[in-house]
Amino acid sequence: NKKAFVELLFWKSPAAACEMTKGYSSLKEGEGTVQSRVPPWTPQQEQELQELYWKYKEVEGGDIIAAILAHLPTPGRTRRQVVKQLVRM
C-alpha cells in the first residue's frame, strides 16, 4: 500500500494495527472492538429491564439502578451497561 505511511501518522488500536498488517477486512465485523466483549441484550432481557425500571422508578430516595441490578435475573451486567441500555431504550 503506497499510502500506508499516512496511516502511521495517527494512533492505532491493536486491532487496527493487526488489520493493517494482515490486510484490510481481515477482521470479522465487530472483532477487536469493545462491543464484541459485551453480550448483547436479548428482547426478553430488555423487557425485564423495562419492567424493573417502571417498578423501581417511583421509589423515593433509592438508587434505581442498584435496585434493578439486585433484581435483574441475568447476573454479570454492570451498572454502566444497565444505564447505557436504559438510555438506548
Side-chain angles (χ1 to χ4, degrees):
N1 186 355
K2 295 178 182 179
K3 298 182 182 180
F5 68 92
V6 175
E7 296 227 23
L8 297 175
L9 297 174
F10 302 99
W11 184 85
K12 300 289 181 217
S13 68
C18 180
E19 188 176 26
M20 282 178 59
T21 58
K22 293 183 180 179
Y24 295 102
S25 73
S26 63
L27 293 178
K28 296 181 178 101
E29 186 176 328
E31 186 177 318
T33 62
V34 175
Q35 293 176 349
S36 66
R37 288 181 250 148
V38 176
W41 289 83
T42 64
Q44 180 185 4
Q45 290 173 338
E46 287 181 353
Q47 180 67 29
E48 292 168 351
L49 181 63
Q50 187 175 18
E51 290 171 5
L52 287 171
Y53 172 75
W54 287 110
K55 181 179 178 182
Y56 294 108
K57 178 183 160 194
E58 303 296 326
V59 176
E60 297 271 335
D63 185 12
I64 297 171
I65 305 301
I68 290 174
L69 282 171
H71 294 92
L72 201 61
T74 308
R77 294 286 183 184
T78 64
R79 181 180 182 89
R80 185 175 185 170
Q81 290 171 348
V82 170
V83 169
K84 189 173 182 179
Q85 184 65 19
L86 284 172
V87 169
R88 191 187 69 76
M89 288 171 46

